[in-house]
C-alpha cells in the first residue's frame, strides 16, 4: 500500500538517486586508483565519474583541492534533488542538511567567540549546511546577540532551545555545543521518520530508524571513548548521548558510567554487532588499552569498522523501493567515496603506498 | 717571507728589545693556546655536523609520519578541522627553553623542548568522531616539532661555531705568519742595531785611545826636549856662575816653567 502513491510525488527523485548510485566508484575503479603514480593519474581515473568538475583543477592538484571539487559535485547533485523534491521528501532532504548546518554554526560560534571577522568564515562553511540566514550570523558581534537574534531564526533553533542558553555558549566548549546539537538533531530526525504520517510504517521508517539508531550508538560510543582523559564529566557526557538506539537506555547508562575501555566493552556487549567490532579491534583484551584503538595488525580501527558497517547499511538501503532513504544512503556513500579518494590521493602524494588499501569500498 | 712582514717602528734600544722579547714569548704562548682552542672547536664542529645529518634524516622520517597522520585525521573526521583547532588553541602546550652552553669560551645557545601537560586546549576536538586520530596526530606532530627544535639548536650552534672557528683560525694564522715573524724581525733588527752601535763605540774608543797615545807620545817628546834644554841651560849656568852678574834665583825674575 505504502508504495502506491509514492511515485506520484517522489518517484523522480528516487530514480535520479538510483542513477547517481550507479556512478559511484566500484571496487574495480578503486583498484585502478591504487595503481596510480601521481595525482594526475588519479584525476584521469576519476574523469568518467566526475567529468567536468575536475577539469578546472590545475595539473597535480593538492588532495584538498581534489576533495573540494568532488564535494562540489555532491553539492550540485544534492541541490538538484532538493529542487525536485516536494512534500515530505523535501522535508526529509532538509533534515539531511541539518547535520552540516550544525557544523557551520559551530564554526561561526567559534569565530564569534574569538572575535574573528565572521565574513571570512562563510567561505569555510560547508555548502550543504548553507541556509538563508547563515550570513546574518556575521552581523552578530557577541555571543548574546548571536543567540537572541540570530540563532533562533535558524532552522536549528529548536535544537538550541531547552538544552543550551546563551550563557552556555560562552563557557561550554564548542565541541560540547556541537555534540548537544547533533544529539538533538538525531533525536528529531528519528522522531520525524518514525512518526510522520508519510513515513510511519513504510520502508523509510524501517531503514532510517535502523541507520539512525546505528548513528546514535556510534556517537555514544565514540564520545565515551574520546572523552577518556579529558575534563568532560560523566554527567555532561551523559547529556550528549542520543536518547534512542540499540544501546538506549541500559547501554547508555552503562556507557555514562564507564571509566575505561573495559566498561565500554561491557556496555556495548548487549548488541552483538558492536561486540563483534570491539572483538575485532582487540579492545576486549584488557592489555590492549588505548593503543589497541589506533593500529592493530590489519590496520582497522574501531572507526573504520563503524564506517564499514554504515556503508553496508547504506548499500542495503538500495534494495528498498519507494523511500527517500536512498538519498540519505547515497549521500553517505558519496561522502565515503570522497574520503576514500582523498585517502588514496594522500597516500600517493606522500608516497606511503603500504596503507593505500585502507579504504572502504562496498560495491 | 720574513722580509715581507717588515718590522715594528721602534727605537733600537735595550728597553725595547726586552719589550719585544716578552712580546714574542706572549705571542708564542697565545698561538699555542689558540691553536688548541681551534682544535677543540673543530672537534665539536664535526660532532655537530654529524648530529645535524642524523637529525635531518630523522626529521624527514618524522615529518613524513606526521603528515600521514594528518591524512588519517582528515579521513576519519571527514572534513577540515584546521580552523577549529587553530581557534581553540589558546596557550602553547609545547614550549622551548633556551639555555647557553660554554664550549671553550664560546657560548652556544641550546634549545630544550618541554610540554606543559596541564595545557590541553583541544582535548575535546573530534569528540563525535575521529578524536583518537586527532590526539594521535597531535602526539606525532609534537614529536616532529621536538626533532625540529633539536635541529634548530644544532643549526644555530653550527653557524656560531663556524663563525668562531673562522675567527680563531684567522688569529692563529695572523700570529703564526705575521706577528711572530715581525717580532722576530724586530728583535733581529734591534740586535743588529745594537751590535752596530757597539762596534761604533768600540771604534770611537779605539780612536780616542789612539789619539791619547799620540798626544802622550808628543808630550813625552817635548818633555824630553825640555829636559835636554834644561840640562844644556844648567851647563851654561854652571859656566856663567863665575860671572858676577850671576842671576839671583830667588830674585824677581821669573823662572821658566817646568814642563813635564
Amino acid at each position: 500500500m505504502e508504495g502506491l502513491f509514492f511515485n506520484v510525488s517522489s518517484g523522480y527523485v528516487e530514480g535520479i538517486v538510483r542513477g547517481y548510485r550507479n556512478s559511484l566508484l566500484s571496487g574495480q575503479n578503486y583498484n585502478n586508483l591504487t595503481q596510480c603514480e601521481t595525482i594526475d593519474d588519479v584525476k584521469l581515473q576519476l574523469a568518467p565519474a566526475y567529468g567536468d568538475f575536475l577539469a578546472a583543477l590545475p595539473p597535480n592538484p593538492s588532495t584538498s583541492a581534489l576533495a573540494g571539487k568532488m564535494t562540489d559535485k555532491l553539492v550540485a547533485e544534492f541541490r538538484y534533488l532538493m529542487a525536485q523534491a516536494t512534500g515530505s521528501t523535501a522535508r526529509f532532504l532538509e533534515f539531511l542538511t541539518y547535520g552540516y548546518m550544525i557544523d557551520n554554526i559551530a564554526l561561526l560560534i567559534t569565530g564569534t567567540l574569538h572575535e574573528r571577522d565572521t565574513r571570512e568564515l562563510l567561505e569555510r562553511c560547508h555548502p550543504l549546511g548553507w541556509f538563508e540566514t547563515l550570513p546574518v550570523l556575521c552581523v552578530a558581534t557577541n555571543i548574546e546577540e548571536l543567540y537572541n537574534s540570530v540563532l533562533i531564526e535558524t532552522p536549528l533553533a529548536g535544537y538550541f532551545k531547552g538544552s543550551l542558553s546563551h550563557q552556555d555558549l560562552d563557557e561550554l566548549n564548542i565541541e560540547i555545543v556541537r555534540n548537544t546539537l547533533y544529539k538533538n538533531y538525531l533525536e528529531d530526525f528519528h522522531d520525524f521518520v518514525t512518526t510522520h504520517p508519510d513515513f510511519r510504517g513504510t520502508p523509510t521508517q524501517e531503514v532510517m530508524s535502523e541507520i539512525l539508531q546505528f548513528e546514535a550508538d556510534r556517537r555514544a560510543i565514540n564520545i565515551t571513548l574520546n572523552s577518556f582523559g579529558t575534563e568532560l564529566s560523566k554527567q555532561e557526557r551523559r547529556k550528549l548521548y542520543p536518547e534512542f538506539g540499540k544501546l538506549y537506555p541500559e547501554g547508555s547508562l552503562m556507557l555514562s558510567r564507564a571509566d575505561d575501555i573495559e566498561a565500554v566493552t561491557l556496555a556495548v556487549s548487549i548488541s552483538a554487532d558492536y561486540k563483534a567490532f570491539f572483538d575485532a579491534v582487540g579492545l576486549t583484551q584488557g592489555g590492549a588499552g588505548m593503543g589497541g584503538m589506533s593500529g592493530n595488525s590489519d590496520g582497522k580501527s574501531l572507526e573504520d569498522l563503524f564506517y564499514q558497517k554504515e556503508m553496508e547499511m547504506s548499500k542495503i538501503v538500495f534494495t528498498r523501493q519507494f523511500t527517500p532513504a536512498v538519498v540519505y544512503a547515497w549521500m553517505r556513500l558519496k561522502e565515503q567515496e570522497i574520503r576514500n579518494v582523498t585517502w588514496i590521493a594522500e597516500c600517493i602524494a606522500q608516497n606511503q603506498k603500504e596503507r593505500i588499501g585502507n579504504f572502504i569500498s562496498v560495491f | 717571507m720574513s722580509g715581507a712582514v717588515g718590522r715594528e717602528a721602534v727605537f733600537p734600544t735595550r728597553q725595547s728589545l726586552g719589550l719585544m722579547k716578552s712580546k714574542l714569548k706572549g705571542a708564542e704562548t697565545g698561538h699555542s693556546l689558540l691553536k688548541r682552542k681551534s682544535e677543540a672547536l673543530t672537534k665539536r664542529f664535526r660532532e655537530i655536523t654529524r648530529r645535524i645529518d642524523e637529525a635531518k634524516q630523522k626529521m624527514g622520517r618524522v615529518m613524513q609520519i606526521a603528515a600521514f597522520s594528518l591524512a588519517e585525521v582528515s579521513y576519519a573526521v571527514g572534513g577540515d578541522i584546521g580552523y577549529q583547532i587553530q581557534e581553540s588553541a589558546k596557550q602553547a602546550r609545547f614550549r622551548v627553553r633556551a639555555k647557553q652552553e660554554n664550549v671553550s669560551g664560546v657560548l652556544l645557545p641550546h634549545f630544550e623542548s618541554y610540554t606543559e601537560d596541564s595545557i590541553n586546549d583541544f582535548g575535546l576536538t573530534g569528540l563525535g568522531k575521529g578524536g583518537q586520530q586527532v590526539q594521535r596526530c597531535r602526539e606525532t606532530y609534537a614529536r616532529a616539532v621536538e626533532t625540529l627544535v633539536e635541529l634548530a639548536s644544532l643549526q644555530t650552534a653550527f653557524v656560531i661555531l663556524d663563525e668562531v672557528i673562522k675567527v680563531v683560525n684567522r688569529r692563529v694564522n695572523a700570529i703564526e705568519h705575521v706577528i711572530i715573524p715581525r717580532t722576530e724581525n724586530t728583535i733581529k733588527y734591534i740586535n743588529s742595531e745594537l751590535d752596530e752601535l757597539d762596534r761604533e763605540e768600540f771604534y770611537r774608543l779605539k780612536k780616542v785611545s789612539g789619539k791619547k797615545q799620540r798626544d802622550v807620545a808628543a808630550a813625552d817628546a817635548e818633555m824630553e826636549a825640555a829636559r835636554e834644554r834644561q840640562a844644556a841651560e844648567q851647563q851654561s849656568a854652571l859656566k856663567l856662575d863665575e860671572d858676577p852678574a850671576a842671576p839671583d834665583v830667588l830674585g824677581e825674575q821669573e823662572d821658566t816653567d817646568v814642563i813635564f
Side-chain angles (χ1 to χ4, degrees):
Chain A
M1 254 319 268
E2 78 269 0
L4 202 54
F5 298 109
F6 181 80
N7 279 348
V8 173
S9 55
S10 308
Y12 179 65
V13 170
E14 193 191 345
I16 290 282
V17 171
R18 283 180 191 275
Y20 285 159
R21 175 214 174 279
N22 281 341
S23 73
L24 288 172
L25 298 176
S26 66
Q28 180 62 42
N29 292 130
Y30 281 123
N31 258 341
N32 289 344
L33 283 176
T34 54
Q35 304 298 317
C36 292
E37 293 290 329
T38 63
I39 305 286
D40 272 341
D41 292 349
V42 173
K43 213 172 103 182
L44 200 68
Q45 289 290 338
L46 291 175
Y50 285 89
D52 297 344
F53 283 91
L54 299 183
L57 284 176
N60 269 326
S62 69
T63 49
S64 55
L66 191 69
K69 288 291 174 193
M70 291 169 78
T71 313
D72 284 350
K73 182 164 192 271
L74 170 68
V75 172
E77 289 175 348
F78 186 79
R79 289 216 172 118
Y80 180 70
L81 293 178
M82 277 291 265
Q84 297 298 328
T86 54
S88 56
T89 310
R91 183 88 186 97
F92 183 89
L93 293 189
E94 273 170 28
F95 263 106
L96 292 189
T97 61
Y98 288 172
Y100 302 100
M101 286 186 194
I102 291 174
D103 282 346
N104 285 354
I105 285 181
L107 186 71
L108 286 178
I109 291 176
T110 318
T112 318
L113 273 177
H114 295 94
E115 287 163 8
R116 291 298 155 96
D117 183 11
T118 29
R119 239 160 283 272
E120 66 190 52
L121 294 178
L122 287 178
E123 291 160 26
R124 295 167 181 269
C125 287
H126 197 289
L128 282 184
W130 186 271
F131 48 92
E132 271 177 28
T133 49
L134 187 64
V136 183
L137 270 101
C138 301
V139 177
T141 48
N142 59 51
I143 286 294
E144 203 164 330
E145 201 178 321
L146 185 75
Y147 186 79
N148 286 333
S149 61
V150 184
L151 284 179
I152 52 166
E153 298 287 323
T154 66
L156 302 175
Y159 306 149
F160 277 97
K161 222 188 315 182
S163 53
L164 294 165
S165 65
H166 67 84
Q167 282 95 352
D168 288 340
L169 294 184
D170 260 339
E171 292 147 17
L172 277 181
N173 191 308
I174 193 67
E175 267 308 304
I176 297 173
V177 174
R178 184 205 298 266
N179 282 294
T180 314
L181 289 179
Y182 213 89
K183 171 211 164 198
N184 290 341
Y185 155 66
L186 278 180
E187 284 170 1
D188 192 30
F189 197 5
H190 187 250
D191 192 49
F192 171 72
V193 293
T194 47
T195 60
H196 194 274
D198 281 357
F199 295 131
R200 199 171 53 216
T202 64
T204 311
Q205 187 197 343
E206 262 174 64
V207 293
M208 280 314 292
S209 75
E210 194 191 341
I211 288 180
L212 290 173
Q213 279 182 5
F214 170 74
E215 182 69 28
D217 292 341
R218 176 164 85 161
R219 286 198 86 80
I221 294 171
N222 270 337
I223 288 172
T224 315
L225 288 179
N226 290 338
S227 66
F228 292 152
T230 60
E231 64 266 37
L232 191 66
S233 71
K234 285 181 183 169
Q235 289 81 16
E236 280 175 349
R237 196 166 79 197
R238 192 166 176 206
K239 281 191 222 150
L240 303 178
Y241 297 150
E243 291 179 356
F244 66 99
K246 287 183 195 158
L247 295 180
Y248 183 77
E250 301 91 358
S252 301
L253 191 66
M254 283 162 86
L255 278 181
S256 70
R257 291 184 182 157
D259 278 319
D260 51 13
I261 293 155
E262 298 278 310
V264 178
T265 315
L266 200 66
V268 299
S269 59
I270 53 174
S271 164
D273 273 347
Y274 306 140
K275 192 171 187 311
F277 293 161
F278 274 72
D279 287 344
V281 292
L283 289 182
T284 37
Q285 287 110 42
M290 293 294 277
M293 251 171 269
S294 44
N296 25 40
S297 51
D298 56 352
K300 290 272 187 206
S301 67
L302 194 59
E303 306 240 354
D304 286 344
L305 289 173
F306 278 138
Y307 274 134
Q308 179 90 41
K309 172 79 180 160
E310 188 185 15
M311 288 309 106
E312 275 160 13
M313 287 167 85
S314 301
K315 188 183 170 189
I316 288 167
V317 170
F318 281 96
T319 61
R320 311 302 286 259
Q321 285 276 321
F322 311 129
T323 164
V326 288
V327 183
Y328 181 90
W330 165 74
M331 283 208 18
R332 289 286 161 270
L333 286 169
K334 196 79 180 168
E335 281 185 341
Q336 181 62 37
E337 180 179 297
I338 293 172
R339 271 204 301 273
N340 284 344
V341 172
T342 317
W343 174 255
I344 291 172
E346 200 76 51
C347 285
I348 291 170
Q350 298 189 15
N351 229 343
Q352 302 238 356
K353 293 282 189 76
E354 314 91 68
R355 293 184 57 195
I356 200 168
N358 207 1
F359 56 84
I360 298 158
S361 155
V362 284
F363 289 109
Chain B
M1 180 67 200
S2 56
V5 291
R7 57 172 173 81
E8 280 167 53
V10 286
F11 286 111
T13 57
R14 290 213 176 262
Q15 193 191 7
S16 55
L17 179 69
L19 270 179
M20 278 303 133
K21 275 189 173 160
S22 63
K23 188 174 173 181
L24 180 66
K25 203 163 177 210
E28 269 163 2
T29 324
H31 175 251
S32 78
L33 275 177
L34 278 177
K35 191 118 190 168
R36 260 184 281 163
K37 177 177 175 177
S38 142
E39 271 159 16
L41 289 180
T42 314
K43 181 167 166 282
R44 181 82 186 195
F45 187 68
R46 292 219 178 94
E47 190 196 322
I48 284 180
T49 318
R50 187 174 51 78
R51 273 169 56 196
I52 284 181
D53 179 47
E54 278 167 14
K56 280 201 170 161
Q57 284 180 6
K58 187 176 164 203
M59 179 191 75
R61 284 196 304 276
V62 172
M63 288 308 273
Q64 198 177 17
I65 295 169
F68 198 65
S69 76
L70 187 62
E72 272 177 12
V73 168
S74 61
Y75 177 77
V77 180
D80 190 18
I81 54 164
Y83 184 78
Q84 199 201 334
I85 288 188
Q86 280 166 35
E87 286 302 324
S88 55
K90 294 179 200 76
Q91 279 178 300
R93 175 182 158 90
F94 191 92
R95 290 163 187 229
V96 173
R97 202 187 276 133
K99 286 202 304 190
Q100 279 195 324
E101 210 183 337
N102 196 337
V103 181
S104 343
V106 185
L107 290 177
L108 293 180
H110 184 80
F111 302 123
E112 209 179 55
S113 55
Y114 65 102
T115 47
E116 288 271 350
D117 285 329
S118 57
I119 296 168
N120 204 348
D121 269 345
F122 49 94
L124 290 177
T125 305
L127 191 62
K129 50 183 175 179
Q132 275 121 48
Q133 276 82 357
V134 173
Q135 296 305 325
R136 206 138 44 85
C137 183
R138 177 165 81 168
E139 278 160 29
T140 326
Y141 266 98
R143 275 203 296 280
V145 176
E146 230 167 75
T147 319
L148 286 184
V149 168
E150 195 190 320
L151 189 59
S153 110
L154 286 175
Q155 291 271 36
T156 324
F158 182 84
V159 172
I160 293 174
L161 265 187
D162 188 41
E163 195 65 28
V164 170
I165 285 176
K166 263 187 213 152
V167 169
V168 169
N169 277 347
R170 213 177 296 140
R171 280 190 196 151
V172 169
N173 286 342
I175 289 178
E176 188 177 333
H177 294 296
V178 178
I179 294 183
I180 290 179
R182 175 187 288 201
T183 316
E184 277 171 347
N185 263 6
T186 316
I187 289 170
K188 223 183 278 169
Y189 161 74
I190 293 173
N191 274 337
S192 70
E193 283 293 300
L194 286 179
D195 284 355
E196 183 80 26
L197 278 179
D198 272 356
R199 276 197 296 279
E200 251 173 47
E201 196 70 9
F202 184 65
Y203 182 74
R204 199 181 301 127
L205 280 177
K206 251 167 110 181
K207 266 276 192 226
V208 168
S209 68
K211 190 152 168 59
K212 268 193 176 159
Q213 271 173 348
R214 204 177 60 218
D215 284 355
V216 169
D220 280 356
E222 205 171 317
M223 219 150 59
E224 199 69 25
R227 262 193 215 128
E228 274 171 23
R229 207 167 40 238
Q230 224 172 2
E233 263 171 29
Q234 272 172 351
Q235 292 263 322
S236 60
L238 284 177
K239 273 179 206 160
L240 284 173
D241 257 351
E242 290 124 43
D243 285 3
D248 185 5
V249 189
L250 302 171
E252 287 293 288
Q253 80 267 25
E254 281 181 37
D255 286 336
T256 48
D257 291 336
V258 179
I259 298 162
F260 298 101

